[in-house]
Amino acid sequence: MSIHDELGLACTGADAESLGHYRRALREFQCYVGDPVADTDAAIALRPDFVMARVLRAYLHLLGTEPAGLAVARAEVDAARRLPATARERAHVAAVEAIASAHWHRAGRMLEDVAIDYPHDLLALQAGHLVDFYVGNARMLRDRIARALPEWSRDMPGCHVLLGMHAFGLEECADYARAEAEGKAAVELERRDGWAWHAVAHVMEMQGRERDGITWLRQDTEAWSADSFFRVHNWWHLALYHLELGEIDEVLQRYDGPIRGGRSTEVLNLIDASAMLWRLHLRGIDIGARWESLADDWWPLATAGSYAFNDVHAVMAFVGARRFDAVEAVIEAQRGAMAGQGDNVAFTREVGHPLTLALREFGEGRYVDCVRRIRDVREIAHRFGGSNAQRAGPHPARGRTAWRADRAGPCAVCRAPGHAAAQPADAAVRGAHRAAA
């Protein structure tokens, strides 16, 4: 016997009390606040046969790309398979199993089918949206959500989630005006929606509107940072604006404070830390001992070989800390990953492994090799995930200055359009650029 949630979706195995915990966990996940794992655990403790609570627990342990989450998700799949379930619920179980076995694209298609049949299934939409992010599918970041929007109205519970996700998809497809409008509308509906704040931050980043971005995020830092497990990434965006304005003291304050001050060992937070230090490093900023502590925290996770985007950010820290033995360990793990199964084989072979080798070459001063290798993958870098802003770091041959083709002047070395105009870091990098151009 099933009861239904407020959007009419069946919740097999639930009762009123467990459904209350599940609904609270969903709202926390949708805003990236609180402790959705604890609320999901409470729902399962009350009703172990609550299928969607087990599904949500699995997603929560998978969608942060934490290596340790795989075993938890697989255990939930095993438990859920033995329970009575609707067709929609069984499809979710299959999608979880696909992600846990690194079949990200397959999971995305499964969740697309669920959302077509059940456009009010916010969990299917949100999990699918995150899958699209992890495989770098900008079109589906937009269109998966756009397809469901006609079935929604702004007075329906959770509509802000749809608007925030659609805003991010629009931004990744360079529809900046619509993205900003929808992201701001989502924040008006739900002030705590960290993803919607983040979508607007991306718009302002990609348009080079650093001062607007600082104003946007600083107007209510409490809303997007308090008790939020997405706060580090939004602080990273704020620091990125200051970096692009040359306000290095502000960047280091953000890094040493909300970005890294808590020394989180969660993968997504380590990625942000690596990405910021690498940008500073390429500008010739003295990082001090920051590389060392970051490399220490990456090391227990670095050889999992489960997601190539993570590998590259771990290697940034190891190169920065001059730990080339750790770089070699990641390379060896990547070789194992490329001999395995699932979508990470292609993520690693096509993008992650070449970029890891390029980072090693950069660290060894072999700039010509580094630039040539990066040129081979720069047009397909989206295939291993991340956002446009995350992948648009400093040009590999420029050494110091971030670039974007829609705003930068001609290159000071080769006069090609689309590079920043500042001089590269040193003669070796200039020579590498000429050799590769």
Side-chain angles (χ1 to χ4, degrees):
M1 186 75 176
S2 295
I3 65 174
H4 293 73
D5 66 14
E6 69 269 37
L7 291 170
L9 299 171
C11 294
T12 304
D15 61 11
E17 188 177 0
S18 62
L19 182 60
H21 284 289
Y22 173 75
R23 289 171 60 190
R24 185 160 48 251
L26 279 179
R27 286 195 296 272
E28 290 167 336
F29 180 40
Q30 289 159 3
C31 291
Y32 299 93
V33 299
D35 190 349
V37 173
D39 278 307
T40 305
D41 288 347
I44 294 170
L46 287 167
R47 292 301 301 254
D49 55 343
F50 186 170
V51 178
M52 287 306 298
R54 292 195 174 276
V55 164
L56 177 57
R57 188 169 190 267
Y59 281 134
L60 292 172
H61 283 84
L62 285 175
L63 294 173
T65 69
E66 295 283 345
L70 290 170
V72 177
R74 288 168 181 152
E76 294 302 331
V77 167
D78 289 342
R81 275 205 199 111
R82 297 191 293 269
L83 300 174
T86 66
R88 179 184 71 90
E89 292 165 338
R90 285 194 297 272
H92 270 288
V93 173
V96 167
E97 184 174 20
I99 297 172
S101 60
H103 292 290
W104 293 88
H105 291 288
R106 182 191 303 168
R109 290 189 293 271
M110 290 174 173
L111 290 166
E112 180 183 12
D113 290 342
V114 173
I116 288 170
D117 292 337
Y118 302 91
H120 296 159
D121 189 335
L122 274 176
L123 182 57
L125 289 162
Q126 187 177 3
H129 189 67
L130 291 172
V131 166
D132 295 334
F133 173 81
Y134 286 125
V135 304
N137 191 336
R139 185 184 69 80
M140 281 300 290
L141 279 167
R142 177 194 64 193
D143 292 353
R144 179 186 302 274
I145 310 304
R147 184 187 290 117
L149 275 171
E151 303 298 324
W152 284 76
S153 63
R154 296 200 179 191
D155 60 349
M156 294 173 66
C159 186
H160 68 92
V161 186
L162 234 67
L163 293 177
M165 291 189 294
H166 194 226
F168 184 67
L170 289 167
E171 178 276 322
E172 290 295 288
C173 291
D175 193 346
Y176 297 130
R178 289 178 64 203
E180 183 171 349
E182 292 208 8
K184 288 181 174 178
V187 169
E188 288 176 8
L189 287 174
E190 174 50 73
R191 201 75 177 163
R192 300 301 315 279
D193 189 332
W195 193 259
W197 283 97
H198 155 261
V200 177
H202 269 263
V203 169
M204 295 172 177
E205 167 65 26
M206 299 311 293
Q207 291 183 317
R209 294 162 53 196
E210 291 90 359
R211 291 296 178 198
D212 287 346
I214 291 168
T215 299
W216 167 248
L217 288 176
R218 284 198 176 278
Q219 68 175 286
D220 193 352
T221 58
E222 187 77 5
W224 53 259
S225 68
D227 195 28
S228 170
F229 49 93
F230 199 56
R231 62 185 177 274
V232 167
H233 190 66
N234 279 334
W235 281 113
W236 180 85
H237 274 283
L238 183 57
L240 191 58
Y241 297 136
H242 287 296
L243 181 66
E244 289 166 350
L245 291 169
E247 298 169 351
I248 304 305
D249 287 345
E250 288 286 342
V251 178
L252 293 176
Q253 286 178 29
R254 301 291 84 71
Y255 182 88
D256 293 335
I259 293 174
R260 186 67 180 147
R263 197 159 172 175
S264 168
T265 57
E266 294 179 12
V267 167
L268 296 181
N269 295 339
L270 293 174
I271 286 171
D272 286 333
S274 288
M276 187 53 66
L277 286 192
W278 191 256
R279 284 163 168 78
L280 289 164
H281 176 64
L282 293 184
R283 286 163 173 77
I285 306 302
D286 182 11
I287 303 302
R290 294 177 180 89
W291 276 131
E292 296 297 329
S293 68
L294 183 58
D296 286 344
D297 288 347
W298 263 118
W299 175 244
L301 305 167
T303 57
S306 57
Y307 185 52
F309 192 80
N310 299 352
D311 299 344
V312 169
H313 286 82
V315 169
M316 288 178 187
F318 296 147
V319 170
R322 312 300 293 172
R323 296 188 188 178
F324 289 99
D325 56 338
V327 174
E328 294 303 320
V330 175
I331 290 170
E332 186 61 30
Q334 288 183 328
R335 293 191 181 107
M338 289 185 288
Q341 297 181 343
D343 294 329
N344 191 51
V345 173
F347 299 162
T348 304
R349 182 183 63 245
E350 296 175 6
V351 183
H353 188 60
L355 287 181
T356 294
L357 297 177
L359 287 168
R360 180 181 66 179
E361 290 158 354
F362 186 93
E364 294 172 346
R366 294 189 286 135
Y367 301 117
V368 170
D369 294 334
C370 170
V371 171
R372 284 176 174 162
R373 199 180 296 277
I374 290 177
R375 289 191 82 180
D376 288 341
V377 301
R378 63 182 179 178
E379 294 177 2
I380 61 168
H382 65 279
R383 293 182 185 175
F384 87 146
S387 66
N388 292 331
Q390 287 176 303
R391 295 186 301 266
H395 189 287
R398 301 291 303 165
R400 291 184 187 271
T401 306
W403 67 281
R404 279 191 297 276
D406 62 347
R407 60 185 290 230
C411 175
V413 177
C414 69
R415 311 309 300 168
H419 299 6
Q423 289 292 334
D426 53 39
V429 178
R430 288 200 296 274
H433 186 69
R434 292 191 185 99

